[in-house]
């Protein structure tokens, strides 16, 4: 067990890593001295991210470099880092440095002062983001708040500080479709906000385009609410009432002799009802699909390689052979010493 773990998922972040390491290492050393670790998870990057992470791990014994077997996605990569972290206090951070690691001392002070298990950062401002993205994010959080029974804080990301007790509770949840900020809110304990201003990306482009944002939003809604299914039921009742009104209108027209024979109006009703039925079936299919994925009970992530010392066991993923590298005249390219991991699939 170490005093502090800083967990950073990385996907195509080669240009950010040196600056990330310098800033995070400085803050961690000030706060915890030598009793800290920085867990960098390479999520199947296609650039030189893994080489950069290995180079940093070889130069700094506090860095644990984790290479996943493929691109698992941000939420699962973050889950892998949290699962392997050994700290008593755990900070979640993105590699793009939009969330400043220099806030850690103040977050730790707030945690101790308030006796909290989670300190979640609330965005007051979002520099470098378009008006459309800000508006869509605001709409999403407020819609999610209306649909779910879990109080998920507005305008928050995954940037937060957690106690070991809170992290262990989080790691007890094995679901595949993960919305981590919602899952952390669900575990309870004392959680307090920490307002801050979000900076622009240090380098590169966002890895959350509209399609990924929509996927995450749908995972959040279906993972924390059955409201869409209730909507399907309510829509069915509403369509039934609408159909009764149409039947009454047709009956009145037939009795008064003013009925108009028309193909267009008939097809309009048929198409409208058919579209609503397909929409409702699609909602039901989404929930059934989630049940199918969860029933497989596959590990959430698979580790291909670890450089450094990580927690031996993993609850949610699978670890094969790990590779420990040491500084030799051959540097990073030197022949690694292999050791067998005793971890098992959770």
């Amino acid at each position: 067990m170490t005093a502090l773990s800083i967990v950073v998922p990385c996907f195509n972040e080669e240009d950010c890593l040196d600056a990330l390491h310098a800033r995070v290492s400085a803050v961690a050393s000030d706060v915890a001295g030598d009793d800290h670790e920085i867990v960098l998870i390479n999520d199947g990057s296609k650039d030189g991210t893994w080489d950069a992470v290995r180079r940093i791990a070889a130069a700094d014994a506090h860095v644990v470099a984790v290479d996943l077997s493929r691109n698992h996605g941000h939420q699962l990569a973050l889950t892998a880092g949290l699962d392997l972290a050994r700290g008593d206090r755990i900070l979640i951070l993105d590699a793009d440095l939009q969330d400043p690691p220099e806030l850690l001392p103040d977050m730790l002070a707030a945690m101790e002062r308030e006796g909290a298990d989670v300190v979640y950062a609330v965005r007051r401002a979002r520099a470098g983001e378009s008006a459309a993205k800000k508006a869509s994010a605001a709409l999403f959080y407020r819609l999610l708040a209306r649909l779910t029974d879990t109080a998920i804080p507005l305008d928050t990301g995954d940037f937060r500080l957690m106690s070991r007790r809170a992290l262990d509770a989080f790691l007890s949840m094995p679901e595949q479709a993960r919305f981590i900020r919602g899952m952390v809110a669900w575990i309870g304990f004392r959680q307090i906000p920490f307002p801050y201003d979000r900076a622009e990306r240090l380098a590169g482009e966002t890895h959350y385009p509209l399609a990924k944002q929509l996927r995450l939003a749908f995972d959040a809604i279906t993972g924390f609410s059955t409201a869409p299914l209730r909507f399907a039921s309510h829509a069915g009742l509403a369509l039934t009432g609408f159909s009764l009104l149409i039947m009454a209108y047709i009956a009145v027209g037939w009795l008064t002799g003013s009925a108009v024979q028309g193909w267009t109006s008939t097809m309009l009703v048929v198409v409208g009802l058919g579209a609503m039925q397909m929409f409702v079936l699609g909602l039901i299919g989404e929930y059934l699909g989630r049940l199918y994925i969860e029933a497989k009970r596959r590990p959430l992530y698979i580790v291909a390689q670890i450089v450094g010392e990580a927690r031996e066991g993993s609850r949610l993923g699978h670890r094969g052979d790990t590779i420990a590298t040491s500084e030799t005249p051959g540097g990073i390219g030197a022949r690694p010493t292999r050791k067998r991991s005793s971890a098992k699939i959770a």
Side-chain angles (χ1 to χ4, degrees), residues 54-227:
R54 285 200 307 163
R55 171 175 52 79
I56 292 170
D60 185 353
H62 295 102
V63 174
V64 179
V66 180
D67 186 31
L68 299 184
S69 62
R70 62 173 177 83
N71 178 248
H72 286 70
H74 178 271
Q75 298 292 283
L76 290 181
L78 178 53
T79 297
L82 294 172
D83 197 17
L84 298 172
R86 300 176 296 166
D88 186 56
R89 296 288 184 267
I90 303 93
L91 178 70
I92 299 173
L93 192 67
D94 283 340
D96 56 21
L97 290 173
Q98 286 187 279
D99 304 322
E102 291 79 10
L103 295 178
L104 175 59
D106 292 334
M107 296 174 77
L108 279 168
M111 174 176 278
E112 297 302 322
R113 183 175 62 250
E114 300 290 338
D117 282 281
V118 178
V119 179
Y120 57 87
V122 180
R123 301 161 180 166
R124 288 179 304 206
R126 302 163 66 105
E129 297 183 0
S130 65
K133 184 172 182 179
K134 293 177 183 177
S136 63
L139 176 63
F140 161 67
Y141 282 111
R142 282 146 187 83
L143 176 62
L144 185 62
R146 294 292 299 272
L147 292 178
T148 64
D149 296 327
T150 301
I152 300 175
L154 300 177
D155 303 318
T156 61
D158 293 316
F159 181 36
R160 64 193 61 223
L161 179 68
M162 301 174 64
S163 68
R164 170 52 59 178
R165 178 171 74 155
L167 179 59
D168 285 343
F170 166 80
L171 292 175
S172 69
M173 294 186 281
E175 55 257 46
Q176 293 271 345
R178 304 178 78 79
F179 182 61
I180 289 177
R181 64 203 73 169
M183 295 169 69
V184 173
W186 182 89
I187 65 175
F189 300 127
R190 180 162 173 74
Q191 306 194 17
I192 60 173
F194 186 89
Y196 79 112
D197 297 324
R198 199 173 199 223
E200 296 185 48
R201 283 184 61 90
L202 180 66
E205 298 179 352
T206 179
H207 302 306
Y208 260 99
L210 180 60
K212 285 189 176 181
Q213 292 179 43
L214 291 175
R215 181 70 260 175
L216 182 64
F218 212 84
D219 283 343
I221 292 172
T222 55
F224 286 88
S225 175
T226 58

